[in-house]
Amino acid sequence: HQVTGLSDAAPWGLYISGFVFFVGASAGATIIGLMIHAFGRQDYAPLGTRAILVGMLSLVAAVLFITVDVGSIPRMMNLPWIWRNPTSMFMYTSLTYYLFGLLLLGELYYTIKVTRGTATNGDKKRAKWLAIAAVPFALVVVHAPHGALFAVIKAREFWNNPLLPPHFAVVALVSGTGIMLLLALVTSALNGRQLVRKETLSHMGALLAFFIALAGFLDFFDWIVFSYSGKSAGNEAWKFLTTTHLPLSALHVGGYIVAFLILIFARGRGLGWLAVASVVAIVAVAAYRYNLTTLGMAVPLFGFLPSAEYVPTWSELSLALGIVAAVVLAYSVLVKVLPLEDQARPSGGSSARTA
């Protein structure tokens, strides 16, 4: 607490915001495997292994954020193996990280065998069903309960909302799809050739617009619930959104609107607009995650207590940037050493399908 803006009154800040964001990105990236194996979209295939890597490394980033927040790796590893409290959502969610990590490792193993041409028919079936199972597992088993981590806290009316678990899952799809769309565009620009076809990128943009619309729908009903409930703590949190946290609120709501409008009206006018829309959507999700985490702590539990003021310090910011840089570096190395689908067969071949 001496090197961060955290305190007893506001124990969750930038680190927990980063943790929630990257767990969501990890879950959302699984949509690529679902498109390939469940919907037969072989034009997505060049992104298959890359999406698994994004899912795995985003999960690693989330765990690293928890590590720096807890400050002790051995203490963190006690959950759920030594410290087991069946009434705590933390015990449940900590177990899901291990299971999801194993699922992604298994999917990566069999996908690499398929790419190398050494897979048996059984290996191909395992790769397919692991990819399909990853989406409901990631959204329902891993990430929706992260919304429940907040929603079950009765003392925090800003969080205590049954809409929060499905809201978390939908926002995960926004961040995961946005990251994969941006990754496809950046990779194509760096390599000097299209990783996937323009029709595929356009389809990803349509998916992103759909997920943004769902997230906006849930945001609207969050506002309705808090506005009509008349709960003092919930209304006080919403006041923070329009005062001290107004810039981040504008990034959140305005980002959704801008990204959605770009994807609807400028999607066919060039790939640059798709890149802009994906960046804006990712920033909007990050602002939402930060506001949700910090505002729940800002409102005092009792009226006679002061508001919990929290501002991230340079120590927190530097560690957060270091974690992001580390996973980007790890991704850059892994795509150099692992076999990728786009290196095994050209994108846009006869097997590709478009919507």
Side-chain angles (χ1 to χ4, degrees):
H1 284 179
Q2 294 182 11
V3 295
T4 69
L6 303 172
S7 65
D8 289 341
W12 287 2
L14 181 63
Y15 295 151
I16 299 300
S17 303
F19 155 70
V20 175
F21 175 85
F22 278 103
V23 170
S26 178
T30 58
I31 192 68
I32 301 298
L34 185 72
M35 296 302 300
I36 297 170
H37 296 286
F39 294 97
R41 294 289 307 236
Q42 291 304 312
D43 51 323
Y44 275 78
L47 292 171
T49 301
R50 297 174 192 271
I52 301 172
L53 293 177
V54 168
M56 290 178 58
L57 292 174
S58 294
L59 185 63
V60 169
V63 173
L64 288 175
F65 272 106
I66 286 292
T67 302
V68 297
D69 185 73
V70 173
S72 171
I73 295 178
R75 179 176 296 178
M76 181 184 70
M77 297 297 290
N78 285 333
L79 278 171
W81 313 114
I82 297 175
W83 295 343
R84 294 187 295 273
N85 180 2
T87 67
S88 171
M89 287 298 299
F90 281 107
M91 191 198 85
Y92 173 77
T93 55
S94 62
L95 179 62
T96 63
Y97 308 149
Y98 294 98
L99 297 176
F100 188 43
L102 289 174
L103 189 154
L104 290 174
L105 282 173
E107 185 185 354
L108 179 64
Y109 172 76
Y110 289 113
T111 299
I112 289 175
K113 291 189 72 174
V114 172
T115 304
R116 285 177 170 169
T118 60
T120 63
N121 289 333
D123 292 335
K124 293 177 182 178
K125 289 181 180 180
R126 294 183 190 98
K128 173 182 177 179
W129 288 109
L130 283 172
I132 294 174
V135 176
F137 189 92
L139 296 179
V140 179
V141 179
V142 178
H143 198 53
H146 282 90
L149 277 176
F150 295 84
V152 297
I153 303 178
K154 295 181 181 180
R156 302 289 183 178
E157 293 175 1
F158 185 64
W159 290 342
N160 193 215
N161 182 350
L163 293 175
L164 212 49
H167 198 162
F168 264 54
V170 171
V171 174
L173 291 170
V174 174
S175 59
T177 306
I179 288 172
M180 291 309 304
L181 177 57
L182 183 62
L183 184 145
L185 292 166
V186 170
T187 302
S188 298
L190 292 176
N191 292 343
R193 65 179 181 86
Q194 285 190 356
L195 182 62
V196 293
R197 297 186 300 174
K198 290 183 179 180
E199 294 85 353
T200 306
L201 294 171
S202 180
H203 187 266
M204 291 180 70
L207 280 178
L208 180 58
F210 175 69
F211 295 143
I212 290 173
L214 285 180
F217 176 82
L218 290 169
D219 278 330
F220 174 76
F221 276 95
D222 273 345
W223 175 76
I224 289 291
V225 168
F226 284 113
S227 297
Y228 281 81
S229 66
K231 292 183 178 180
S232 58
N235 290 329
E236 186 67 22
W238 281 96
K239 290 180 182 178
F240 280 114
L241 287 173
T242 58
T243 53
T244 57
H245 286 245
L246 180 59
L248 287 170
S249 301
L251 283 176
H252 166 209
V253 178
Y256 279 172
I257 294 172
V258 170
F260 183 79
L261 291 177
I262 290 174
L263 291 169
I264 294 299
F265 296 108
R267 187 159 48 95
R269 298 185 180 181
L271 299 181
W273 286 108
L274 283 177
V276 171
S278 59
V279 170
V280 172
I282 293 167
V283 171
V285 170
Y288 165 72
R289 302 294 200 191
Y290 181 87
N291 266 352
L292 182 74
T293 303
T294 56
L295 281 180
M297 293 288 177
V299 180
L301 293 176
F302 300 99
F304 57 83
L305 295 175
S307 300
E309 299 292 337
Y310 167 76
V311 178
T313 64
W314 285 111
S315 175
E316 293 171 272
L317 291 169
S318 62
L319 277 170
L321 290 173
I323 291 171
V324 174
V327 296
V328 171
L329 175 61
Y331 173 84
S332 302
V333 172
L334 288 172
V335 295
K336 296 292 184 182
V337 300
L338 294 177
L340 303 174
E341 291 91 337
D342 59 300
Q343 298 167 354
R345 56 175 176 266
S347 63
S350 59
S351 62
R353 273 183 58 199
T354 58

